[in-house]
Amino acid sequence: MTTIGWIQILLFSIVIFAVTKPIGIYMFRIFEGDRQPLPRLFGPIERLIYRLCGVDPKEQQDWKQYALAMLLFSGITLLVTYAIERLQHVLPLNPAKLGPVPADLAFGTASSFTTNTNWQAYGGESTMSYLTQMAGLAWHNFISVGVGIGVMLVIARGLTYRLQPGAPKTIGNFWVDLNRSVIYLLIPFSVVMVLVLVSQGVLQNFSSYIELTTLEGVKQTLAMGPTASQVAIKQLGTNGGGFFNVNSAHPFEGGTPLANFLEMVAILAIPAAQTYMYGLMARDTKQGWTLFGAMAILFFMGVTTAYYFETKPNPVTQGLAVDQTAGNMEGKEVRYGVANSVTWATATTDASNGSVNSMHDSFNPLAGLVPLVNIQLGEVIFGGVGAGLYGMAIFVLLSVFIAGLMVGRTPEYLGKKIESREVKLAMLYVLIFPLLILYLSAWSSVTPYGLSSLNNAGPHGLSEILYAFSSAAGNNGSAFAGLNANTPWYNIAQGLTMLAGRFLMIIPVLAIAGCMVGKKAVPESLGTFPTNGTLFVVLLVGVIIIVGALTFFPALALGPIVEHFVALAGKVY
Amino acid sequence: MADTRLKERSLFDPKIMRPAIWDSFRKLAPQNVIKNPVMFVVEIGSVLTTLILLRDLIAPTAGSQPLWFTFNVSFWLWFTVVFANFAEAVAEGRGKAQAAFLRRMRQETTARRLINGKREEKIPASSLRKGNAVVVEAGEIIPGDGDVIEGIASVDESAITGESAPVIRESGGDRSAVTGGTKVLSDRIVVRITASPGESFLDRMIALVEGAERQKTPNEIALNILLAGLTLVFLFACVTLVPMALYSGVATVSVTVIVALLVCLIPTTIGGLLSAIGIAGIDRLLRKNVLAMSGRAVEAAGDVDTLLLDKTGTITLGNRMATDFIPVDGATAEMLADAAQLASLADETPEGRSIVVLAKEKYGLRGREVTEIGARFIPFSAQTRMSGCDMDGRAIRKGAAEAISAHVQALGGTVSSHIDGVVHGISDTGGTPLVVSEGNKVLGVIHLKDVVKGGIKERFARFRAMGIRTVMITGDNPRTAAAIAREAGVDDFLAEATPEAKMRLIKDEQTKGKLVAMTGDGTNDAPALAQADVGVAMNTGTQAAKEAGNMVDLDSNPTKLLEVVEIGKQMLMTRGVLTTFSIANDVAKYFAIIPAMFMSVYPEIAPLNIMHLASPQSAILSAVIFNALIIMLLIPLALRGVQYRPIGAGPLLARSLVIYGVGGVIAPFIGIKLIDLVLEAVGLV
């Protein structure tokens, strides 16, 4: 670990902290303000879209109507993307003359982008036409984020709204939330980001691929394409699907150190800002900062662990003629080094981003454990845009329920009682996630079709399978390479896992919001369980670690943990 | 004393323990255990390991664990369930002992039923119906619950309340309710029966303390869902571990070990003690002589935000007492005190007695006998509105300001304006002025005050620290009410309270989302008692009040409300700390079991065995034994409840988190290591 490395990690943290409040205020004004920001610029576009779609923005939905609209919308967009993939050979903007995407891969990919996972079992430049990339996939980079933001808004409204007795239990309008998130937040932020990225040498063109001969005399094809526009939203929307196969490790995706840094900031900027917006909605910004605090602690725990173990030499190559003074450089870009690689790896898995600038598969076992655990904790450490905060809300409710009794009152959060129905729904949310990951990993680990595409045996192989399903269930999208996921089993199992990990988990969240929104709020008193402050931060961190770790510890023990001890003993598989 | 059932019973009274041990085995029946999902999983695990033990006895396989190991795991798994049952049985046993006592009192009595209000017929009490009228005379047992409709009698209610002093029951008013099973000591009353047999107060009380009518409270249900959910999560984790272990090269995965791991991980501690905590909460109230009609009421008591307290009897002693003598118009304090004492010697009211006592304490004037000094006592009358005495030509009178000034002026004296000032001053502070005159001269004013109970202010401060608002309810005018409220330290008051105003106040608080608790005894309190979230009816109160409330205070002590709230909070806290403790425990159990499970394939993971447990089998067994024993060790805590400290929610949470959260992580590391050392010492492993 070096001083310059720590300075970079610290600088990153300071920038995230600095943008939290301003972006949070901006988001609050978009979604909860009486007047949206920049009305002259965005207002006409917003109204035009309502008119085109026949949406009455004043209409309010209850949680069931909201859920129905969200599911219908996602279902239809899933089908549209599937169709584009299958028909790309007859559609325009296909200079590389790529054929149709195979059915299983097309399903896996459509699920992947609809669920904001962006798991890529394919190499973008060799499988997807420009049209598919832009209209089929990049489009989802915006709207799937809008869906996530919508769900977050619903649970935040459910917890913070104080309805008059007898008022209808409505929680917003899906179409309005979706439309506003794209028009006011994602597009403007992306435009700015694209301009900055292009200034840093990130590619943006529609050229055909370039054939050239390298200095070594080898023929090489250089893939081209509208990269910067993809990269901006893949980072901002915690999407993570790279334009190129190696994602942001590719020099055309993340060229300069500044581009790399800004792309990292873009991963966590909006998720961090959500906490401040939430605080504003709760009429107590300390509530938001409390969530931010818990997330920040978990982020530092992750990045420190990863950084510490990644600066250790790789025990297997020790003694060989490899210089390991800079740490374990396998699978890393020299221009980023260990500090920038582990920070990115931590951030991208804290959030449901999944973009990478180094290969997590090559990390030392316990450093590679960090991204895996980050995902398995439910991606609530800042988390995905929208998804991070609603996942965190579930953990908050559980923490309050488990420990709230200790102050001698039945549990309440923001003045609202947490009763059996909410506990039931929260437990449903908590159950689905490990069920998907553990069940499918266990299945894959003992079946020939699960093992046939696995390149590593032993504990590392298990880690790769675990990582694949964790990434799918958590809608992360990053991968431990070493597992070829472009097989019928993995495409279909992953596709279903992603859909379940997104939509089966969203329903209980919306239902909880529906229960909570109409509840009477008890005014705060000295006897109220404090949910803003250091004590709650500690409790929340404890519950997240214990509940997450306890669930996955046995599986992890057989994967990265065992691998660590085995590798120290110099054994390889 | 007719009764010992209300005495503090030791936690482990052998009279309760013996049947409880038997009960804890009887409760192993699956139809009983299935009510508790966590324990049901343990029981299924026990059956599984027992079957494996039998199989290994008959036909051992190559991959079998040693017999002693499987035996021990099975044994301790069974005992995990037994210990949980035991906790419940002990908690119930305490109630059952009390129910047995009550049942003995419900002996078959003969009732003298009145027909057409004249003729009497003797029928068994069990054939009485609602609306029947019965005659009860001295020495007879009242055959059922009812209201006195004729006569007045002293009744021994010690069977119900434990209070040996007889109480007066009379027709009409708020003291008309009688309870079946109590005994008339004097006179004759006619009672209209209000409850059919089997539905009487005594019957309900028996059912309640026995736990027969126990329903899970809302929070208990929610907590049960959480525990069942966690159990499922761990079930996934353990079941999926089998294929993953196979992948890793473990030749045969031992079901015994997987079951052991599962049982150690699921929240057995809180799962096993949860129902005992609920029963113990009701029981603790009963020992304070408060009968909770449901567990829900106890839970609500912990959540109360606003307490409505009647001024008289709860906040003040209820009697006005003399606290000061204020001489006027040139009289000295001694003269005034002397006159006031003489005027009050024969006055047997508490006010009168307090004047005599104050004169003695303040001015050393010893009480004199009225007859000795030859005084003639003038009793209070509604016409004169004064009392006093005549002796040796002195005519001393005391009474309301207007009455005395009329009396003095009639005798040709004058009343100075100074008196008016003093009188108003006293009224303004909530006191009652009593003016004393001798002949045609006013001597001064006695300050009578409603005296606030000792220590009540500190109690209210305690409530404020809990975040509970206290509201005093009084029929006094706002001025008097404000003065007393200030003195007693309540947060707010409702003056000139009518039943309607009281009801409105409760509803207002509830619309703000607050939970309200109150006490009441009269029939006109019944609607408010029913509306309040926690309504504590006084046992001396009317049948209507008792029906409307969800608790009955057998001592009829309104201050008890404060204890009720603390017991409710204790019950919720006990649940919270044991849940936290139970989950925190899992960390250590992982470190005991996981390395033990995979040591055979991956010997390199030995460093994970941070407790340095003797062998894989010893590690697993130690964790299982710890898991069972901790239930046993925590039974006293579950029954007694954790202590509530009114230090505000933040510090309270911090304290509990350190003790039960951090402690819950550390304790099992020590416990498991100790058990492992013992197992090693006895040579079992």
Side-chain angles (χ1 to χ4, degrees):
Chain A
M1 292 186 276
T2 59
T3 315
I4 191 76
W6 280 117
I7 289 175
Q8 292 182 57
I9 293 171
L10 215 61
L11 182 68
F12 172 73
S13 315
I14 291 169
V15 171
I16 293 295
F17 176 71
V19 300
T20 296
K21 187 174 170 179
I23 301 182
I25 293 173
Y26 180 71
M27 288 177 74
F28 179 78
R29 285 189 56 202
I30 297 174
F31 298 110
E32 294 293 297
D34 296 328
R35 286 186 62 215
Q36 276 60 47
L38 301 170
R40 291 236 185 111
L41 185 59
F42 299 129
I45 311 173
E46 187 190 349
R47 286 190 294 274
L48 177 71
I49 292 180
Y50 292 143
R51 216 168 305 134
L52 284 177
C53 303
V55 169
D56 174 9
K58 293 216 167 53
E59 194 189 305
Q60 290 282 304
Q61 297 169 321
D62 63 22
W63 81 266
K64 285 180 191 157
Q65 292 164 324
Y66 200 104
L68 189 69
M70 187 269 299
L71 286 177
L72 270 179
F73 176 76
S74 299
I76 291 169
T77 56
L78 175 89
L79 291 176
V80 169
T81 298
Y82 180 79
I84 295 178
E85 286 180 83
R86 299 287 287 150
L87 299 172
Q88 66 174 0
H89 56 293
V90 295
L91 294 170
L93 279 180
N94 186 4
K97 303 267 174 295
L98 298 166
V101 182
D104 59 328
L105 178 61
F107 165 72
T109 307
S111 305
S112 166
F113 279 78
T114 310
T115 57
N116 191 238
T117 309
N118 306 36
W119 169 274
Q120 293 164 296
Y122 58 90
E125 58 271 46
S126 57
T127 322
M128 304 294 172
S129 74
Y130 289 164
L131 182 83
T132 312
Q133 292 258 26
M134 295 194 304
L137 306 182
W139 174 53
H140 274 293
N141 283 352
F142 290 90
I143 56 171
S144 71
V145 181
V147 169
I149 289 178
V151 177
M152 165 188 76
L153 289 170
V154 169
I155 185 80
R157 287 169 185 150
L159 295 174
T160 60
Y161 276 14
R162 307 239 160 128
L163 299 183
Q164 292 301 316
K169 292 175 184 173
T170 53
I171 37 173
N173 182 323
F174 172 71
W175 308 111
V176 173
D177 291 340
L178 176 71
N179 200 21
R180 285 188 182 158
S181 62
V182 174
I183 294 175
Y184 290 90
L185 184 68
L186 299 174
I187 290 183
F189 275 40
S190 298
V191 168
V192 175
M193 181 93 183
V194 169
L195 295 176
V196 178
L197 288 180
V198 168
S199 81
Q200 294 300 307
V202 176
L203 213 59
Q204 179 76 4
N205 61 32
F206 285 98
S207 314
S208 317
Y209 295 175
I210 299 174
E211 297 273 340
L212 48 78
T213 313
T214 66
L215 289 175
E216 293 162 321
V218 184
K219 280 223 178 271
Q220 192 182 344
T221 307
L222 273 191
M224 296 280 119
T227 314
S229 56
Q230 276 267 33
V231 171
I233 189 62
K234 90 162 182 193
Q235 298 304 97
L236 282 168
T238 55
N239 290 292
F243 192 82
F244 299 113
N245 194 17
V246 292
N247 214 298
S248 284
H250 196 292
F252 292 165
E253 276 204 23
T256 62
L258 182 62
N260 182 66
F261 185 80
L262 288 176
E263 284 179 28
M264 274 198 313
V265 169
I267 297 176
L268 293 187
I270 296 176
Q274 286 168 180
T275 60
Y276 193 82
M277 179 193 76
Y278 178 71
L280 288 174
M281 287 174 76
R283 295 165 294 272
D284 174 10
T285 48
K286 266 181 87 187
Q287 296 284 356
W289 285 121
T290 301
L291 301 189
F292 183 93
M295 292 167 169
I297 288 176
L298 289 163
F299 168 77
F300 277 113
M301 288 167 75
V303 82
T304 309
T305 312
Y307 192 29
Y308 173 79
F309 284 105
E310 211 44 21
T311 45
K312 298 273 171 220
N314 182 338
V316 177
T317 49
Q318 210 163 15
L320 303 178
V322 180
D323 176 21
Q324 300 220 40
T325 47
N328 172 22
M329 284 300 291
E330 185 195 322
K332 288 182 192 61
E333 290 293 297
V334 180
R335 64 185 194 280
Y336 299 146
V338 171
N340 267 308
S341 299
V342 294
T343 310
W344 186 301
T346 308
T348 197
T349 49
D350 278 343
S352 72
N353 188 290
S355 65
V356 292
N357 74 351
S358 61
M359 294 302 119
H360 299 176
D361 191 40
S362 309
F363 280 19
N364 280 330
L366 291 186
L369 177 77
V370 170
L372 185 51
V373 168
N374 280 343
I375 299 174
Q376 289 175 341
L377 293 181
E379 287 167 349
V380 292
I381 313 170
F382 299 107
V385 175
L389 193 71
Y390 69 66
M392 192 50 132
I394 301 294
F395 271 114
V396 166
L397 293 182
L398 283 181
S399 304
V400 169
F401 190 81
I402 291 171
L405 284 168
M406 288 200 287
V407 302
R409 291 176 67 89
T410 56
E412 59 205 359
Y413 180 60
L414 301 181
K416 297 183 175 186
K417 292 266 177 234
I418 305 170
E419 290 161 304
S420 48
R421 198 170 142 78
E422 293 80 58
V423 174
K424 206 180 291 176
L425 292 163
M427 282 320 285
L428 197 61
Y429 180 94
V430 170
L431 275 173
I432 293 168
F433 191 60
L435 179 66
L436 289 171
I437 297 173
L438 292 174
Y439 184 64
L440 287 162
S441 300
W443 187 344
S444 299
S445 70
V446 288
T447 46
Y449 45 86
L451 294 171
S452 64
S453 60
L454 194 63
N455 298 331
N456 296 74
H460 195 73
L462 190 66
S463 302
E464 287 168 353
I465 298 176
L466 262 178
Y467 198 104
F469 284 104
S470 302
S471 179
N475 297 146
N476 186 280
S478 67
F480 251 25
L483 169 73
N484 173 17
N486 191 6
T487 67
W489 160 250
Y490 280 107
N491 274 328
I492 292 167
Q494 291 279 76
L496 292 174
T497 306
M498 288 183 266
L499 290 174
R502 177 78 161 182
F503 297 108
L504 279 188
M505 290 172 78
I506 278 178
I507 305 290
V509 175
L510 294 177
I512 289 175
C515 294
M516 296 297 281
V517 74
K519 287 197 184 187
K520 258 188 273 178
V522 188
E524 204 177 321
S525 76
L526 267 178
T528 311
F529 181 86
T531 55
N532 53 358
T534 326
L535 196 59
F536 191 68
V537 169
V538 174
L539 175 70
L540 191 56
V541 168
V543 168
I544 291 171
I545 291 179
I546 290 192
V547 170
L550 290 183
T551 314
F552 293 103
F553 188 77
L556 292 173
L558 283 175
I561 295 174
V562 147
E563 190 190 352
H564 169 75
F565 291 110
V566 171
L568 280 182
K571 207 153 103 190
V572 283
Y573 288 82
Chain B
M1 221 28 216
D3 177 7
T4 54
R5 83 196 167 82
L6 304 150
K7 290 254 177 73
E8 193 77 13
R9 218 181 264 274
S10 136
L11 265 185
F12 293 100
D13 186 332
K15 274 196 205 125
I16 295 171
M17 298 307 270
R18 254 173 265 126
I21 292 171
W22 166 240
D23 265 358
S24 46
F25 284 96
R26 209 174 39 80
K27 280 169 180 271
L28 282 175
Q31 68 268 26
N32 178 63
V33 183
I34 199 161
K35 285 183 219 149
N36 183 338
V38 180
M39 279 302 141
F40 190 63
V41 169
V42 181
E43 185 158 277
I44 291 176
S46 318
V47 171
L48 258 173
T49 54
T50 310
L51 289 176
I52 292 169
L53 178 69
L54 292 176
R55 184 201 64 186
D56 289 353
L57 271 173
I58 300 158
T61 59
S64 289
Q65 294 280 348
L67 278 179
W68 66 265
F69 173 74
T70 315
F71 171 79
N72 268 295
V73 170
S74 312
F75 178 86
W76 285 102
L77 290 188
W78 280 114
F79 268 84
T80 309
V81 189
V82 169
F83 289 162
N85 288 345
F86 181 69
E88 196 181 76
V90 171
E92 283 174 353
R94 298 156 71 82
K96 272 189 188 146
Q98 294 170 346
F101 180 85
L102 290 172
R103 197 168 283 124
R104 245 178 287 138
M105 299 185 359
R106 200 184 46 180
Q107 47 194 286
E108 188 55 22
T109 46
T110 309
R112 295 158 60 189
R113 183 161 69 173
L114 269 183
I115 297 168
N116 299 328
K118 288 187 205 99
R119 203 158 57 80
E120 271 182 35
E121 63 166 3
K122 292 205 169 180
I123 59 160
S126 55
S127 42
L128 280 177
R129 287 290 168 270
K130 221 173 176 167
N132 286 170
V134 292
V135 179
V136 194
E137 275 181 313
E140 291 175 344
I141 303 276
I142 299 175
D145 292 1
D147 285 322
V148 180
I149 51 172
E150 195 186 311
I152 175 167
S154 61
V155 179
D156 173 11
E157 294 196 336
S158 62
I160 302 284
T161 62
E163 180 57 59
S164 54
V167 293
I168 300 296
R169 292 285 175 251
E170 60 186 331
S171 62
D174 286 349
R175 290 193 301 174
S176 63
V178 288
T179 312
T182 56
K183 192 173 177 185
V184 173
L185 294 179
S186 69
D187 305 288
R188 171 186 185 274
I189 47 174
V190 177
V191 174
R192 184 182 307 286
I193 299 296
T194 52
S196 298
E199 296 163 15
S200 73
F201 188 63
L202 201 59
D203 290 309
R204 270 192 298 159
M205 202 159 149
I206 291 170
L208 277 165
V209 295
E210 261 191 333
E213 267 187 22
R214 207 179 95 77
Q215 283 175 332
K216 283 190 183 145
T217 58
N219 175 262
E220 202 179 340
I221 292 171
L223 191 52
N224 246 320
I225 293 170
L226 178 91
L227 298 180
L230 286 176
T231 305
L232 270 179
V233 168
F234 289 122
L235 192 65
F236 296 157
C238 290
V239 169
T240 53
L241 195 54
V242 178
M244 290 192 211
L246 291 175
Y247 164 91
S248 304
V250 178
T252 43
V253 182
S254 161
V255 176
T256 313
V257 173
I258 294 283
V259 169
L261 175 64
L262 174 64
V263 170
C264 285
L265 296 183
I266 62 178
T268 46
T269 313
I270 178 67
L273 295 172
L274 187 54
S275 67
I277 296 170
I279 300 168
I282 296 185
D283 182 62
R284 269 204 300 282
L285 271 180
L286 197 60
R287 268 180 291 145
K288 298 265 181 197
N289 258 359
V290 178
L291 187 64
M293 295 302 174
S294 67
R296 185 188 278 261
V298 187
E299 206 172 281
D303 271 350
V304 160
D305 301 286
T306 308
L307 286 184
L308 303 191
L309 300 161
D310 279 325
K311 183 197 80 177
T312 310
T314 312
I315 295 170
T316 64
L317 291 168
N319 299 317
R320 289 175 301 180
M321 310 274 263
T323 55
D324 204 4
F325 295 117
I326 305 151
V328 290
D329 297 347
T332 63
E334 283 79 11
M335 281 164 66
L336 173 62
D338 179 59
Q341 192 184 47
L342 284 171
S344 309
L345 282 176
D347 186 350
E348 282 302 313
T349 64
E351 292 166 23
R353 259 180 279 162
S354 78
I355 295 171
V356 176
V357 170
L358 183 72
K360 190 162 116 189
E361 280 174 357
K362 234 177 158 178
Y363 301 101
L365 301 171
R366 299 227 347 267
R368 292 147 283 191
E369 275 301 316
V370 188
T371 45
E372 233 171 69
I373 53 175
R376 193 169 63 84
F377 182 62
I378 316 283
F380 179 86
S381 79
Q383 281 87 35
T384 60
R385 290 160 60 218
M386 318 180 282
S387 65
C389 71
D390 291 338
M391 57 174 280
D392 306 337
R394 292 166 78 183
I396 304 170
R397 297 287 182 277
K398 64 177 173 57
E402 304 89 65
I404 295 290
S405 61
H407 166 73
V408 168
Q409 276 159 1
L411 291 177
T414 51
V415 181
S416 72
S417 60
H418 182 48
I419 294 172
D420 267 356
V422 173
V423 165
H424 279 126
I426 293 173
S427 299
D428 282 355
T429 57
T432 309
L434 210 56
V435 181
V436 180
S437 68
E438 185 172 344
N440 63 0
K441 202 167 166 301
V442 174
L443 293 177
V445 186
I446 307 171
H447 187 167
L448 288 179
K449 217 162 107 179
D450 210 353
V451 178
V452 170
K453 282 185 179 175
I456 202 91
K457 195 164 186 171
E458 291 70 34
R459 266 196 124 154
F460 290 149
R462 223 171 126 86
F463 274 95
R464 205 161 302 117
M466 289 185 198
I468 295 174
R469 212 165 70 93
T470 44
V471 181
M472 181 181 84
I473 308 288
T474 173
D476 293 344
N477 62 53
R479 238 204 219 139
T480 311
I484 295 173
R486 212 174 312 118
E487 199 186 341
V490 292
D491 297 313
D492 203 354
F493 63 87
L494 177 69
E496 288 166 354
T498 57
E500 293 76 33
K502 209 162 160 180
M503 190 73 171
R504 203 160 45 238
L505 177 66
I506 295 176
K507 284 187 173 162
D508 282 353
E509 291 286 308
Q510 286 174 335
T511 339
K512 284 185 236 157
K514 294 183 177 177
L515 260 61
V516 182
M518 66 168 285
T519 57
D521 52 6
T523 302
N524 58 13
D525 285 331
L529 277 173
Q531 179 70 32
D533 301 282
V534 177
V536 182
M538 299 294 108
N539 191 48
T540 50
T542 58
Q543 200 64 32
K546 284 201 258 182
E547 294 284 339
N550 45 19
M551 291 190 194
V552 176
D553 179 12
L554 302 173
D555 292 343
S556 304
N557 170 10
T559 324
K560 205 71 88 44
L561 196 51
L562 313 182
E563 269 140 346
V564 169
V565 169
E566 290 201 356
I567 288 175
K569 286 198 175 296
Q570 265 192 330
M571 186 179 77
L572 294 173
M573 279 177 67
T574 310
R575 275 184 204 156
V577 299
L578 288 180
T579 308
T580 308
F581 185 80
S582 197
I583 296 173
N585 266 208
D586 281 4
V587 177
K589 293 171 187 168
Y590 267 128
F591 278 99
I593 298 183
I594 294 289
M597 281 178 88
F598 303 119
M599 205 78 102
S600 61
V601 253
Y602 296 121
E604 296 88 353
I605 59 168
L608 268 189
N609 179 10
I610 52 175
M611 286 175 269
H612 298 290
L613 304 175
S615 70
Q617 273 116 0
S618 160
I620 294 165
L621 195 53
S622 302
V624 172
I625 295 176
F626 174 84
N627 195 49
L629 287 183
I630 196 72
I631 297 181
M632 205 61 183
L633 289 176
L634 289 173
I635 290 177
L637 181 73
L639 296 189
R640 246 184 244 128
V642 289
Q643 206 192 340
Y644 180 80
R645 286 158 203 268
I647 49 177
L652 192 63
L653 177 65
R655 224 186 109 84
S656 304
L657 271 182
V658 169
I659 299 177
Y660 298 96
V662 179
V665 173
I666 297 167
F669 278 104
I670 301 166
I672 293 174
K673 179 67 189 170
L674 284 178
I675 295 170
D676 177 70
L677 288 175
V678 171
L679 291 180
E680 214 184 346
V682 299
L684 195 56
V685 292

